Every structure is written in structure tokens, then in C-alpha cells.
Amino acid sequence: MDITAILSRRPAICVVDELAHTNVPGSERTKRWEDVQVLLDSGINVTTNMNIQHLESLNDQVFRITGIRVRETVAGLVLSKVPMKL
């Protein structure tokens, strides 16, 4: 995701897919949720999605149910800092 290009366009809203994912090597920030924070701090509204298995607090439960350890997680604290509309 090209944050510089998004910031230069100054949209009212930006759609960001897969909040929990890791950015490509060489990106300014490691995680996509960090990019979302930059957009929010710049006054751009963000719509995003995240699969529930990526919620850090559910990691052990997801492992017990599926036998798969999800490595890309988002802390609940991140979600609590993001204004949400349902």
C-alpha cells in the first residue's frame, strides 16, 4: 500500500484490506494496522476488515480448535484505539 500516494490524494475515506497482515519487506512500517493509524492520524477515515482468527487474544483458542498457530495477529488494544462504526 502506497501511504504517500494516499496521503497526497487526501481522500475522505480509504478502504484497507486485511488489517492484520504484514507489509512487504522494505515498507516504512511493518504491519498494515500501523499504516491505518497513519491514515487516521492524518484525518482520513478508514474502512477495513480482519478475520477473527487474527485477534491476538483468541490465538490460543484458534490453535486449540484448528491446530494452526496464527502468526499475524492484532492486539485488542489496537482495535480499542480505532474509532469504529457498526
Side-chain angles (χ1 to χ4, degrees):
M1 182 164 58
D2 189 343
I3 294 296
T4 303
I6 295 168
L7 292 173
S8 69
R9 295 174 104 178
R10 303 288 309 152
I13 189 166
C14 181
V15 177
V16 177
D17 191 31
E18 296 289 352
L19 181 66
H21 281 238
T22 302
N23 287 330
V24 297
S27 297
E28 190 172 341
R29 285 160 294 282
T30 305
K31 295 291 191 173
R32 198 161 299 163
W33 64 263
E34 295 170 313
D35 291 335
V36 167
Q37 191 60 58
V38 170
L39 297 174
L40 291 170
D41 290 346
S42 298
I44 298 171
N45 293 303
V46 175
T47 296
T48 190
N49 68 310
M50 183 180 86
N51 294 330
I52 196 71
Q53 75 260 20
H54 293 288
L55 188 57
E56 186 177 72
S57 62
L58 296 178
N59 198 268
D60 290 338
Q61 290 172 319
V62 169
F63 179 72
R64 280 195 303 274
I65 294 167
T66 66
I68 298 168
R69 180 66 65 187
V70 177
R71 287 179 267 172
E72 292 183 311
T73 60
V74 173
L77 183 61
V78 169
L79 296 179
S80 70
K81 291 181 178 183
V82 177
M84 289 189 243
K85 293 181 184 176
L86 300 176

